[in-house]
């Protein structure tokens, strides 16, 4: 049986760093990659390419199983991750980080494919997880009654005390992804965990491994991660206070800091304190210089960044968006996001068409629409595109709708998702409005098909626009 997993780019919107590496992130059992890793990805430098891969039957990945008794192994899942990367990216070596079963897969990749993996981050996981009998019992229950049976227990296990109350949007998104997970795929992953055990092979792992534990994690207590860090040839252990089982969602800023300093930057540990005089070859504890003592609880979806300025007074992202920026820096950040969403070609056309009469309006768009609103971390770009499409339909802004259909595709919305948004608009805006919107979207999608047929690569500049869209005020 072939495990075909879906890879998708997650926006990384932090200040550029010169790292320019590829990071593959893997989700935990019952979660989709977007709600688990989205906030941490946004906190990473913009020049880091973050690629999320959903587990079978989770998020964007389809389930290959349609009947009880489904089973797979962590080694097979690791192979499927590599196949997904090779089928979508032109990259020979990459860093990988995963939470829970995603961490187990990351560890398996580090063991089986050291020539492909630069560094591995294993979060809230272990070289062996749980009791095999308990995993089989859970698999049988979910096969017969579905993943909603796991909502209450998972809510208790996944989050540290107080997180659900302080971050309702994040927890709701994660629990919704659990409810939507395919029951047979979930059961197969339970069986994979039942037989997973790399404790006897840790000393064969030569790839540097960062092992991150949540101090409140019950399914994967800190000793699980300490065992990994001590057992591999080059291991580093970090324990995060006030974090349970989903560290990327509970503490996205701190997780992003750790990934930058260890997993992505090959020289990150040079000169770092070793946390208690660890012996050569033993696990190293990395202190979080500049990180907040309190958990990521204050404001913003997903406990996004804490708002403290970074070293050197560089622009910082907070729960309200960007702080410590001058007017020109806001414009530059807005132009960067505007180009990422609308394409370089679109923005260059708009800028070239600007004249003395419209130039101030172009500046307004770049600073306020793109520099102030689209940079806010409270919604990911997929959600912002969904909201924008709805607003364009409701306001009968047909030319802008065509532009934002293209933008929605660039932001990761699928054609089926765009269709569902327009169907929703038919009910809440009007059927005539949706009828026009479907005609516009169909034309835009057909243009995309034509360009793909001419050999365009994914995420190209948008195709030439009709005259009605060519005004200098657009986008």
């Amino acid at each position: 049986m072939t495990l075909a997993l879906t890879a998708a780019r997650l926006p990384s919107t932090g200040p550029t760093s010169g790292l320019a590496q590829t990071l593959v992130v893997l989700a935990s059992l019952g979660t989709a990659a977007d709600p688990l890793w989205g906030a941490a990805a946004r906190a990473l430098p913009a020049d880091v390419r973050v690629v999320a891969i959903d587990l079978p039957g989770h998020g964007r990945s389809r389930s290959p199983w349609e009947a009880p008794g489904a089973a797979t192994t962590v080694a097979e899942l690791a192979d499927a991750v590599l196949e997904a990367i090779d089928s979508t990216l032109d990259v020979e070596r990459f860093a990988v980080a995963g939470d829970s079963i995603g961490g187990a897969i990351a560890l398996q990749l580090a063991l089986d494919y050291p020539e492909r993996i630069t560094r591995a981050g294993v979060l809230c996981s272990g070289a062996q997880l749980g009791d095999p009998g308990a995993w089989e019992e859970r698999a049988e229950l979910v096969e017969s009654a579905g993943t909603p049976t796991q909502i209450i227990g998972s809510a208790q296990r996944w989050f540290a005390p107080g997180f659900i109350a302080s971050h309702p949007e994040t927890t709701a998104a994660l629990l919704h992804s659990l409810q939507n997970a395919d029951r047979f795929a979930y059961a197969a992953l339970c069986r994979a965990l039942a037989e997973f055990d790399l404790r006897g092979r840790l000393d064969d792992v030569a790839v540097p491994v960062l092992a991150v534990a949540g101090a409140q994690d019950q399914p994967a207590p800190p000793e699980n991660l300490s065992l990994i860090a001590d057992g591999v040839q080059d291991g580093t252990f970090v324990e995060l206070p006030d974090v349970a089982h989903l560290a990327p969602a509970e503490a996205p800023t701190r997780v992003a800091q750790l990934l930058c300093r260890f997993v992505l930057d090959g020289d990150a540990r040079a000169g770092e304190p070793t946390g208690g005089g660890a012996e050569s070859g033993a696990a190293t504890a990395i202190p979080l210089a500049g990180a907040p003592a309190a958990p990521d609880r204050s404001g913003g979806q997903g406990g996004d960044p804490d708002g403290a300025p970074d070293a050197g007074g560089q622009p910082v992202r907070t729960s309200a968006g960007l702080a410590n920026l001058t007017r020109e820096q806001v414009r530059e950040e807005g132009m960067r996001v505007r180009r990422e969403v609308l394409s370089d070609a679109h923005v260059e056309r708009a800028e070239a068409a600007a004249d003395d009469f419209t130039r101030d309006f172009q500046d307004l768009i770049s600073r306020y629409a793109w520099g102030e609103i689209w940079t806010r971390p409270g919604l990911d770009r997929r959600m912002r595109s969904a909201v924008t499409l709805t607003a364009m339909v409701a306001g009968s802004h047909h030319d802008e709708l065509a532009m934002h259909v293209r933008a929605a595709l660039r932001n990761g919305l699928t054609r089926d998702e765009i269709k569902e948004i327009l169907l929703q608009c038919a009910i809440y805006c009007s059927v005539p409005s949706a009828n026009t919107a479907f005609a516009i979207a169909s034309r835009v999608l057909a243009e995309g098909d034509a360009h793909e047929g001419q050999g365009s690569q994914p995420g190209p500049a948008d195709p030439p626009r009709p005259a009605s869209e060519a005004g200098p005020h657009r986008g």
Side-chain angles (χ1 to χ4, degrees):
M1 177 176 295
T2 301
L3 294 177
L5 305 182
T6 301
R9 177 82 178 266
L10 294 184
S12 52
T13 58
T16 56
S17 63
L19 295 177
Q21 296 189 38
T22 297
L23 171 66
V24 175
V25 294
L26 308 171
S28 66
L29 177 65
T31 71
D34 286 12
L36 179 61
W37 282 100
R42 288 193 296 274
L44 288 169
D47 52 348
V48 173
R49 177 167 58 175
V50 184
V51 180
I53 298 184
D54 280 311
L55 297 166
H58 291 59
R60 298 180 179 89
S61 293
R62 294 182 178 275
S63 172
W65 301 287
E66 298 180 353
T72 187
T73 66
V74 171
E76 290 174 346
L77 293 166
D79 290 343
V81 167
L82 202 59
E83 290 172 7
I85 292 298
D86 289 342
S87 66
T88 56
L89 297 176
D90 182 18
V91 58
E92 181 61 28
R93 304 190 74 214
F94 56 90
V96 62
D99 187 278
S100 189
I101 191 173
I105 297 169
L107 188 62
Q108 188 80 52
L109 282 165
L111 174 66
D112 293 345
Y113 299 101
E115 73 282 2
R116 301 293 306 275
I117 306 302
T118 57
R119 290 170 179 262
V122 180
L123 290 74
C124 306
S125 187
Q128 188 274 334
L129 287 163
D131 175 69
W135 284 121
E136 180 58 38
E137 288 179 8
R138 191 192 297 190
E140 292 176 357
L141 172 62
V142 171
E143 280 179 333
S144 62
T147 54
T149 60
Q150 302 302 303
I151 296 292
I152 295 177
S154 294
Q156 295 170 342
R157 293 187 297 268
W158 284 357
F159 308 113
F163 187 84
I164 293 177
S166 60
H167 296 81
E169 298 91 349
T170 299
T171 54
L174 288 163
L175 292 171
H176 275 304
S177 67
L178 169 60
Q179 182 171 325
N180 294 333
D182 179 82
R183 57 177 174 154
F184 299 127
Y186 186 101
L189 297 176
C190 288
R191 296 188 174 105
L193 287 170
E195 62 177 63
F196 174 70
D197 192 346
L198 291 185
R199 288 175 294 183
R201 300 197 60 193
L202 289 176
D203 58 356
D204 294 330
V205 178
V207 172
V209 174
L210 169 68
V212 179
Q216 306 295 322
D217 195 344
Q218 298 176 28
E223 51 265 32
N224 281 25
L225 285 305
S226 179
L227 177 70
I228 291 175
D230 286 331
V232 300
Q233 295 177 28
D234 185 359
T236 299
F237 171 73
V238 174
E239 181 174 331
L240 298 177
D242 301 303
V243 169
H245 194 55
L246 300 184
E250 294 179 273
T253 305
R254 286 175 286 167
V255 167
Q257 288 173 335
L258 290 169
L259 292 176
C260 281
R261 295 173 60 197
F262 179 86
V263 177
L264 293 170
D265 185 353
D267 298 321
R269 291 179 299 160
E272 290 285 357
T274 57
E279 295 290 331
S280 177
T284 303
I286 294 182
L288 297 183
D296 295 338
R297 297 281 191 262
S298 58
Q301 179 179 347
D304 225 295
D306 23 81
D310 60 358
Q314 294 300 311
V316 211
R317 189 170 302 278
T318 72
S319 60
L322 293 165
N324 299 348
L325 283 96
T326 66
R327 176 189 176 99
E328 182 57 30
Q329 285 175 320
V330 171
R331 186 183 189 281
E332 289 176 359
E333 181 72 2
M335 285 294 289
R336 182 185 66 78
V337 175
R338 188 180 173 194
R339 287 177 178 275
E340 290 176 357
V341 173
L342 299 181
S343 83
D344 289 335
H346 177 100
V347 175
E348 286 166 7
R349 282 197 303 269
E351 291 289 297
D355 54 25
D356 290 342
F357 184 69
T358 61
R359 189 166 289 110
D360 287 345
F361 185 66
Q362 287 292 321
D363 179 69
L364 179 74
I365 291 171
S366 296
R367 285 187 294 109
Y368 284 97
W370 298 103
E372 294 284 355
I373 299 302
W374 278 83
T375 59
R376 290 176 64 87
L379 297 176
D380 64 23
R381 288 187 188 173
R382 297 178 74 255
M383 177 65 77
R384 290 193 185 279
S385 276
V387 172
T388 304
L389 289 176
T390 304
M392 296 301 102
V393 175
S396 297
H397 304 303
H398 299 149
D399 294 344
E400 299 282 334
L401 174 61
M403 178 182 73
H404 279 286
V405 169
R406 298 187 189 100
L409 293 169
R410 293 175 65 86
N411 282 342
L413 286 179
T414 66
R415 294 181 177 217
D416 284 344
E417 287 170 331
I418 292 173
K419 177 183 71 176
E420 293 299 326
I421 291 168
L422 299 184
L423 286 171
Q424 190 86 357
C425 289
I427 303 303
Y428 290 96
C429 297
S430 76
V431 171
S433 295
N435 183 53
T436 302
F438 268 105
I440 293 169
S442 295
R443 170 173 59 78
V444 172
L445 296 176
E447 289 172 356
D449 289 340
H451 277 253
E452 287 182 10
Q454 296 169 10
S456 297
Q457 296 300 312
D462 53 355
R465 295 174 295 166
S468 62
E469 291 179 55
H473 63 288
R474 302 298 177 190

